[in-house]
Structures are given as C-alpha cells and as structure tokens.
Amino acid sequence: MKKHRNPQAEQMADESMLRNLAAQANAIWPQEEKFFDRYVLPPQARIADIGCGSGEITVRLAARYPRAEIVGVDILDSSVAHARRQHAALAPRVRFEQGDAFELHFPDGQFDLVVCRHMTQAIPEPERVLAELQRICKPGGWLHVLSEDYGMIHLPAGKLDPDRLWHEAVIPYTRSTGTDARIGRRTWALMNQLGVKALQVDYVTVDTERVPRRTFAEIIEAWRDGYSETLAEHSEFTVEEVRGLFDHAIGGIMDPQQYAVWQIPIVSGHKA
C-alpha cells in the first residue's frame, strides 16, 4: 500500500494496537455476533476479513463457521506475522495474508461473506475500499462493515470535558491525514451508491451497562498510549493535556457512579 493510503501506519503498528484490538473484540463481538444470523451462507463458505489486524475477529468467525475457508488480510506485515503465530493451529483452513485493501489480489466474486472492521476511519477514500469489498464478494453474498464514528462517543464531563478530545484533536488529526473520524454515519450512503442491496444499519452499544468497565477503559487506554503524541502535534493541546483528557475519560468509565457510551455502526447488505 502506498504511504498515503495508510497514514496511521505507525500507530497501527504500535503494541498498543494489539491491546486495543483485543479489548474491542471483547467489548463488541458478544453483541455483534448475532448480526451474522441474517447471512445465509453455505456450510463451506469462503469468508474474507479485510483489515484483520491481529486476527481477533478472524478466529471468532472461524469458530462460528467451523467448515468455512477464511482468509484474513492486513496491510501490515507485523500484524500478519502476529496473527499467523497466534492462530497457527487453525491453518490451513484459516490463513493470513499481507495485502492492500485498495487493490486486493482476489478475482471478482470469490467470497460468500466479506467482513471489514475498524478500518474505514483510518484510510483516505474509503469508497474505493468499499468498492473492492463489493468486487470480491459473490453475487448474492454479504458485506459486513463495522465503521467507527468518533462523534458517537459520549463520556461524562467534570473538571475536563472529554468531548474536546474527539472534536478538537481526533477529528482535526484525521482531517489532516485525509481520513474521516466520523465515517460511520456516511457508510450507509457510500454502500448505497455502490448498489449494495438490503442495506441495514445495526449498532453495537459499548457502554458501562453492557460491557465491563475495565474492558471499555482498556480501549481508551490503548488509544491514549498509541495516539497522544500524534494528537498533540495536530491540535492546540500539549501531550500532557491530551493524556489528561484521555485519563479523565478513563476515570469516568471506571467510576461506578457515572455512565459512558460509544455507539458503533455496522452496515450490512448483499451484492446484487
């Protein structure tokens, strides 16, 4: 992948991202899994997990579809190597490959289900990647896209207001890299423009009622550890101020007297 297609490569390769992906999988998958019930797949389905990262969800898909052939694709060699090491016991039914989501090497119409999670917010021109997902999907096959939106994070304010972190640091940073921190609300429209049928938007609610507070806090902690310096460079905050906002957010999540929530859109549909 050309450098401009992966402007967050340094952050994605940081060890904090492994913690982030593990925490997000633990928080999200228990609610997300039921959405797969609507996808009618053959027993020996072919499934692609594009932007698979450490393979956290690839292996959950393997457990859900025990006879399926599954390939996880990620741009980072380090992520692919980690996934291969961690999940070697599932080979060759489950394999991991390095690849460019803008130019996937698969022929047209190869997969019964194409999954893409936590990637659209980190890339420029997400419509091009969505078109690639559709291209490799079989006619009648399904697309499942988890598309983050940092305007849908609502954390308790106190001496500090965590909203400032997202609106005055995260969103300006992504804008400067040609990416969109609020892509979640645009994903339905982009997929609709591609002609994806039976489009549906579901939400996973990561909040302090449905998810253990510690798990929710681990997501924010990993973002803090991986992104504080970069966010300070692209905002009026110092590194200490960015970390302070993250720490305030974490404290609010861990406070049993407070409520916090992140709504995560998942857009799905089938290829005509």
Side-chain angles (χ1 to χ4, degrees), residues 14-72:
D14 190 79
E15 65 80 24
S16 61
M17 187 53 59
L18 294 177
R19 290 187 277 122
N20 180 265
L21 293 173
Q24 288 188 124
N26 290 334
I28 295 168
W29 181 254
Q31 296 177 55
E32 181 182 6
E33 184 177 13
K34 66 179 182 291
F35 302 145
F36 288 86
D37 291 344
R38 71 172 68 103
Y39 312 145
V40 181
L41 305 182
Q44 294 178 306
R46 298 192 70 197
I47 299 172
D49 182 10
I50 307 302
C52 67
S54 57
E56 289 281 354
I57 298 302
T58 318
V59 298
R60 286 168 169 82
L61 290 168
R64 181 177 176 85
Y65 300 105
R67 296 172 61 190
E69 176 188 339
I70 305 174
V71 58

Side-chain angles (χ1 to χ4, degrees), residues 25 43 86 101 139 143 153 163 183 202 209 241 254:
Q86 291 295 110
L143 302 172
I153 299 176
D163 284 355
I183 186 62
D202 296 288
E209 291 292 308
E241 288 170 332
M254 293 302 298

Side-chain angles (χ1 to χ4, degrees), residues 172-205:
Y173 161 62
T174 57
R175 188 180 297 121
S176 73
T177 61
T179 60
D180 184 0
R182 293 175 288 188
I183 186 62
R185 67 193 69 184
R186 292 202 297 126
T187 302
W188 184 96
L190 293 175
M191 292 174 68
N192 185 54
Q193 290 168 14
L194 290 170
V196 179
K197 303 301 182 183
L199 276 173
Q200 186 161 332
V201 181
D202 296 288
Y203 284 87
V204 167
T205 301

